[in-house]
Amino acid sequence: MNFVSTRGLSEPHSFSEAVKIGLAPDGGLFVPEILPSLSLKLSGWEGKSYPDLCASFFREFATDIEEEELVAMVEEAYSNFDHAEYAPLVSLSESISVLELFHGPTLAFKDFALQLLGKLYERQVSKTGLLINVLGATSGDTGAAAISGLVGKKGVNVFILYPDGRVSPLQERQMTCTGETNVYPMAITGSFDEAQAALKEVFGDRDFSRAVNLSAVNSINLARILAQCVYYLYAWLKLPVGQREKTTFVVPTGNFGNVLAGWMASQMGMKVAGFRVATNRNDILHRFFSSGDYSVDDASASLAPSMDIQVASNFERYLYFGLGEDADKTREAMSEFKQKGKFESRDDSLIKSMSSSRMDDSEIFETISNLYHKYGYIADPHTACAFKDLDEFEHCVILSTAHPAKFPETIEETLGISVTHPSLDSLKERQIVKHPISANADAIKEFIASKQKPVQS
Ligand SMILES: *Cc1c(COP(=O)(O)O)cnc(C)c1O
């Protein structure tokens, strides 16, 4: 299978190539040339373990990797998850289940994609002997998860830009206390959106990105989206057959990667009632899905920092598929958005394929408290955002995106309970190493260039 750009001006790439370069050369995002139909395969996947299901799913896409090698990579990628089911489905009531995606090493759903991506990079380095420089921007959890997936990997450098003072103290510790020399957490002055804009500019310098073999680890990387499709399928296959089509997945959303993965799985044959995009007060996506207006505002800090995003990079993939895989139209929409800072949908089906909700900080506090008192369940502030107007659904699966122990201040303030996790406690004794820098493409390039050393075998 080959992968094409949403903007239609790049040559098709193989799976491994597309994963390695991350962003397509024309500035678009990679998408599968065709979405395979899985309808007939799904029943045969019933009862598979998480790694088995993941390997079977990736067989459809990673056609340039040998089956045995793929199976081994997937098994290793998920070997450090601390739950026998990897993504347990917990029932809160007859109509509400929670899919817990926080049993990986950094306690957030991003581990599902980034542990596997780490394996894919490692494979690439061993095949080509070339150093890979991974660059990402994070509002918190991506950075921690990317670093955990890539830490100590031979031939891989990781550069992570994060807005200084706008990630939680524990998220910062997860990024800055690894003690490894291939990891460079870069604390930028500015917001996540500014970090992301600078990152795009660095990637836009083709000579530079080629010279240092630069790869994007943000959720624009195709492998991340595909890895995230797997837990939707896993949860769906666990539901009683009669419930599957009546189920709505409710997804705490920032960069739109997570919910997009579920929607793509549905386009491949996973029949569900729908998807709900749950935002915090940074609600560009809620505005889009409720009124068709996609216009940028400034992102402001909330209790759910990993969703403090205005420009959702993966939205471009949704546009592409929603516009009938028409790269010309996608390119036009994206350039309209770039020029005017807004995009208005003239296409109803784009708006109607998902519903949406929004929660401000006071509702997040209230929800955490209600969930605890009603079900004895402690939800992290991101997951809490999903619990809005759920009465509309016959059955829903809430994606729980982070462990509450990652946000102990909020939980303590709301419930008076201190939540901890052993993997976080051990971080508190370690030294923080970070590199302050301005959100400026030239400064970032200079920093990366200064850290190049040949791969040692
Ligand atoms: C990244 C993240 C989100 C947002 O996911 P997107 O794929 O960017 O929409 C939500 N919750 C948590 C805890 C996260 O780390």
Side-chain angles (χ1 to χ4, degrees):
M1 153 115 40
N2 275 325
F3 296 84
V4 295
S5 165
T6 47
R7 301 196 188 168
L9 302 177
S10 300
E11 295 288 301
H13 284 60
S14 70
F15 174 80
S16 299
E17 269 299 303
V19 169
K20 200 212 82 187
I21 64 176
L23 196 66
D26 62 4
L29 307 186
F30 283 114
V31 284
E33 204 161 39
I34 38 160
L35 286 182
S37 168
L38 303 178
S39 307
L40 297 175
K41 295 193 171 144
L42 285 171
S43 59
W45 290 355
E46 202 104 27
K48 274 188 188 285
S49 72
Y50 194 91
D52 280 353
L53 179 67
C54 182
S56 303
F57 180 77
F58 268 85
R59 288 296 299 148
E60 304 287 322
F61 302 94
T63 47
D64 58 344
I65 302 181
E66 294 291 330
E67 178 160 9
E68 265 172 43
E69 200 183 351
L70 186 63
V71 169
M73 272 196 290
V74 168
E75 256 168 31
E76 279 171 39
Y78 296 119
S79 61
N80 53 0
F81 278 55
D82 71 4
H83 196 288
E85 289 180 70
Y86 304 85
L89 192 60
V90 177
S91 168
L92 293 189
S93 72
E94 267 191 11
S95 60
I96 305 177
S97 307
V98 177
L99 181 63
E100 291 185 348
L101 300 174
F102 52 69
H103 295 282
T106 72
L107 314 182
F109 80 92
K110 295 186 172 81
D111 288 326
F112 279 93
L114 287 159
Q115 291 294 317
L116 185 59
L117 194 61
K119 291 284 155 200
L120 290 164
Y121 282 132
E122 193 172 47
R123 173 179 180 273
Q124 189 78 22
V125 174
S126 77
K127 292 241 176 266
T128 62
L130 286 176
L131 180 77
I132 295 182
N133 287 288
V134 174
L135 175 62
T138 184
S139 53
D141 290 327
T142 302
I147 286 170
S148 163
L150 296 168
V151 78
K153 294 254 183 306
K154 206 186 282 172
V156 183
N157 279 332
V158 202
F159 300 89
I160 298 293
L161 310 171
Y162 68 95
D164 204 6
R166 297 238 196 138
V167 302
S168 84
L170 275 172
Q171 285 175 327
E172 182 169 49
R173 286 202 163 266
Q174 286 184 313
M175 292 191 276
T176 57
C177 297
T178 63
E180 288 283 347
T181 53
N182 73 327
V183 173
Y184 302 97
M186 296 159 75
I188 63 132
T189 33
S191 67
F192 170 74
D193 287 321
E194 285 165 88
Q196 183 146 280
L199 169 127
K200 281 203 171 149
E201 208 182 319
V202 174
F203 276 102
D205 182 342
R206 302 278 307 285
D207 291 337
F208 176 79
S209 67
R210 240 184 258 132
V212 300
N213 203 17
L214 202 62
S215 180
V217 74
N218 276 64
S219 57
I220 51 180
N221 196 301
L222 161 91
R224 288 190 56 184
I225 302 296
L226 295 177
Q228 293 178 178
C229 293
V230 178
Y231 49 69
Y232 284 93
L233 294 168
Y234 185 70
W236 187 83
L237 287 166
K238 273 194 188 173
L239 295 172
V241 174
Q243 205 171 44
R244 293 175 184 169
E245 287 191 34
K246 294 177 188 155
T247 293
T248 300
F249 282 101
V250 186
V251 189
T253 296
N255 235 330
F256 201 66
N258 200 3
V259 69
L260 177 86
W263 183 80
M264 279 174 65
S266 76
Q267 301 298 298
M268 296 181 222
M270 180 189 78
K271 288 212 175 91
V272 292
F275 293 88
R276 160 69 65 85
V277 174
T279 72
N280 62 19
R281 68 173 184 229
N282 295 297
D283 61 354
I284 182 170
L285 289 164
H286 174 54
R287 281 183 277 124
F288 178 76
F289 285 106
S290 52
S291 70
D293 163 33
Y294 189 75
S295 52
V296 206
D297 223 340
D298 281 337
S300 64
S302 82
L303 289 174
S306 298
M307 291 155 57
D308 290 345
I309 289 167
Q310 281 291 346
V311 184
S313 356
N314 269 293
F315 193 64
E316 179 166 348
R317 285 194 169 101
Y318 179 66
L319 279 180
Y320 172 83
F321 287 112
L323 295 170
E325 306 185 26
D326 187 328
D328 295 333
K329 279 195 196 158
T330 310
R331 216 167 51 239
E332 272 164 37
M334 291 313 293
S335 94
E336 175 186 333
F337 179 65
K338 196 170 174 192
Q339 276 165 18
K340 301 189 194 153
K342 66 185 279 180
F343 160 75
E344 261 174 76
S345 177
R346 289 166 282 270
D347 193 333
D348 252 11
S349 66
L350 274 179
I351 305 166
K352 296 209 169 113
S353 308
M354 295 191 196
S355 69
S356 64
S357 65
R358 165 193 201 277
M359 226 187 232
D360 60 28
D361 281 359
S362 64
E363 293 170 287
I364 293 176
F365 277 129
E366 203 180 295
T367 304
I368 292 173
S369 167
N370 288 345
L371 287 172
Y372 183 66
H373 293 111
K374 194 162 173 194
Y375 305 115
Y377 194 80
I378 303 182
D380 97 288
H382 302 79
T383 305
C385 291
F387 285 84
K388 178 125 178 187
D389 300 334
L390 299 182
D391 308 345
E392 295 167 22
F393 304 132
E394 187 166 336
H395 179 250
C396 62
V397 170
I398 307 280
L399 271 64
S400 177
T401 51
H403 194 290
K406 283 194 95 164
F407 305 93
E409 299 83 3
T410 306
I411 305 297
E412 174 113 42
E413 192 178 339
T414 322
L415 304 177
I417 295 175
S418 90
V419 274
T420 58
H421 190 280
S423 77
L424 297 174
D425 291 340
S426 65
L427 288 174
K428 291 178 189 145
E429 280 109 56
R430 301 215 211 130
Q431 200 196 340
I432 291 183
V433 179
K434 61 176 178 179
H435 308 272
I437 195 157
S438 62
N440 168 289
D442 287 330
I444 295 166
K445 284 191 270 189
E446 201 173 303
F447 183 85
I448 295 173
S450 74
K451 302 296 175 198
Q452 301 308 303
K453 42 191 182 259
V455 183
Q456 290 153 3
S457 48

